[in-house]
Amino acid sequence: MKVWTIANQKGGVGKTTSVASLAGSLVKRGQRVLMIDTDPHASLGYYLGIDSEEVSGSLYDVFLAHKELTHTLVKKHIVTTLVDNLDLLPATMALATLDKALGHQGGMGLVLKKLLSLVEDDYDVALIDCPPVLGVLMVNALAASDHIVVPVQTEFLAIKGLDRMIKTMELMGRAKKVKYNYTVVPTMYDRRTKASPAALQQLSEDYGHALWPDVIPIDTKFRDASLAHMPASHFAGSSRGVKAYDRLLDFLMEKELGHVKIG
Ligand SMILES: Nc1ncnc2c1ncn2[C@@H]1O[C@H](COP(=O)(O)OP(=O)(O)O)[C@@H](O)[C@H]1O
Ligand SMILES: [Mg+2]
């Protein structure tokens, strides 16, 4: 099972949209996909038509039970979506209290990794959606990942946020003596503006080595897709935005990421 985390400490850059779109494209290619929502706002669930306050359990329950995790327990909290082979471990508001409640306990940074190792044979790819904050959840997500996808909106303020995100990742990696592999993905690219091409230029100067050499265009179909509670791939399969995420998936797959086994 490959594990990819979609992270950026800035909100509104296209993290959740990237998770849903990559997931939809993966499913279309015959992959079994598990999405894990670590954002207490639970946008990914709402996007896919799942009300996080009405599900019987969530990622929070998995964290509470971190000392006695079993395959059955993890599966109990995973819900199906409208799309076959696309499952979700939902978030709830309670996740916002995780740092305070459990953050100080030892071993808390590896709960997601443990969880994923238990369902390793049930899915081909796991995609982790992150909150725009650095805390125990992001630490968990980074520690569990083979690769990190960092969506960044093509505008200057977002690039500022990116610098922080990359620094954080490098600091965390150094503490754990690992080097995180990441790909920076320019999103909401609007070629009619001056800001988008200028931001892209800046990105290629600063992150050339890690920059996906393409862009996700601005596309209203993404908003329509979330309204329809479907990944854009299943709602507007031939749209420019969906095709761009398909190319991103090709790129990520080609890097042959995730050949490192969890566990
Ligand atoms: N490529 C895009 N074109 C147009 N709108 C987009 C695009 N990507 C995301 N959006 C919209 O921007 C908003 C924020 O995106 P979202 O994925 O929720 O960001 P994040 O998870 O980083 O907060 C949403 O309303 C989403 O529909
Ligand atoms: Mg989000």
Side-chain angles (χ1 to χ4, degrees):
M1 180 170 68
K2 294 177 176 61
V3 182
W4 296 345
T5 284
I6 321 299
N8 191 330
Q9 277 161 284
K10 194 168 181 342
V13 296
K15 290 184 291 294
T16 300
T17 303
S18 296
V19 170
S21 302
L22 288 172
S25 291
L26 279 161
V27 167
K28 280 208 158 176
R29 296 183 190 192
Q31 307 277 294
R32 298 163 301 164
V33 180
L34 173 65
M35 298 169 297
I36 298 174
D37 192 358
T38 69
D39 187 348
H41 289 112
S43 317
L44 183 60
Y46 288 117
Y47 182 134
L48 295 163
I50 292 153
D51 187 335
S52 73
E53 302 309 318
E54 285 181 1
V55 292
S56 61
S58 76
L59 181 61
Y60 185 70
D61 300 282
V62 175
F63 269 90
L64 284 187
H66 69 276
K67 286 194 180 124
E68 55 236 21
L69 281 189
T70 60
H71 181 257
T72 317
L73 188 138
V74 174
K75 289 294 267 191
K76 200 173 101 188
H77 297 305
I78 292 176
V79 297
T80 55
T81 67
L82 293 171
V83 176
D84 282 347
N85 291 324
L86 183 56
D87 292 353
L88 171 73
L89 180 53
T92 42
M93 277 308 286
L95 277 175
T97 65
L98 205 62
D99 271 288
K100 229 173 169 180
L102 301 171
H104 57 281
Q105 292 187 14
M108 285 308 292
L110 296 172
V111 179
L112 262 187
K113 192 171 172 141
K114 175 84 202 297
L115 179 172
L116 286 165
S117 72
L118 290 169
V119 294
E120 175 160 35
D121 294 333
D122 301 330
Y123 300 98
D124 301 302
V125 184
L127 297 174
I128 306 173
D129 193 7
C130 283
V133 285
L134 177 72
V136 70
L137 288 159
M138 178 105 90
V139 170
N140 265 271
L142 293 183
S145 312
D146 303 310
H147 198 82
I148 297 142
V149 174
V150 186
V152 59
Q153 198 177 342
T154 36
E155 54 134 69
F156 276 105
L157 283 180
I159 293 181
K160 275 271 164 242
L162 178 66
D163 291 341
R164 268 200 337 183
M165 169 69 208
I166 302 291
K167 281 206 183 88
T168 303
M169 222 161 62
E170 284 171 356
L171 273 175
M172 284 179 50
R174 229 173 289 153
K176 299 235 160 14
K177 298 193 171 51
V178 292
K179 206 164 186 299
Y180 294 115
N181 293 314
Y182 65 93
T183 300
V184 173
V185 175
T187 61
M188 299 183 220
Y189 186 82
D190 188 348
R191 60 188 162 82
R192 295 164 304 181
T193 64
K194 278 203 185 107
S196 277
L200 195 59
Q201 176 64 32
Q202 188 69 48
L203 281 175
S204 88
E205 280 166 26
D206 296 351
Y207 299 99
H209 59 289
L211 184 68
W212 176 47
D214 200 339
V215 293
I216 303 294
I218 195 136
D219 186 341
T220 53
K221 287 285 190 295
F222 288 116
R223 285 208 177 96
D224 297 344
S226 65
L227 199 64
H229 301 309
M230 296 289 261
S233 52
H234 287 66
F235 172 81
S238 59
S239 69
R240 289 186 312 133
V242 169
K243 285 184 179 152
Y245 273 109
D246 245 347
R247 293 196 300 275
L248 174 60
L249 183 55
D250 286 339
F251 178 83
L252 294 172
M253 289 292 210
E254 233 167 71
K255 278 185 154 177
E256 285 186 309
L257 307 168
H259 46 263
V260 186
K261 282 253 176 188
I262 295 176

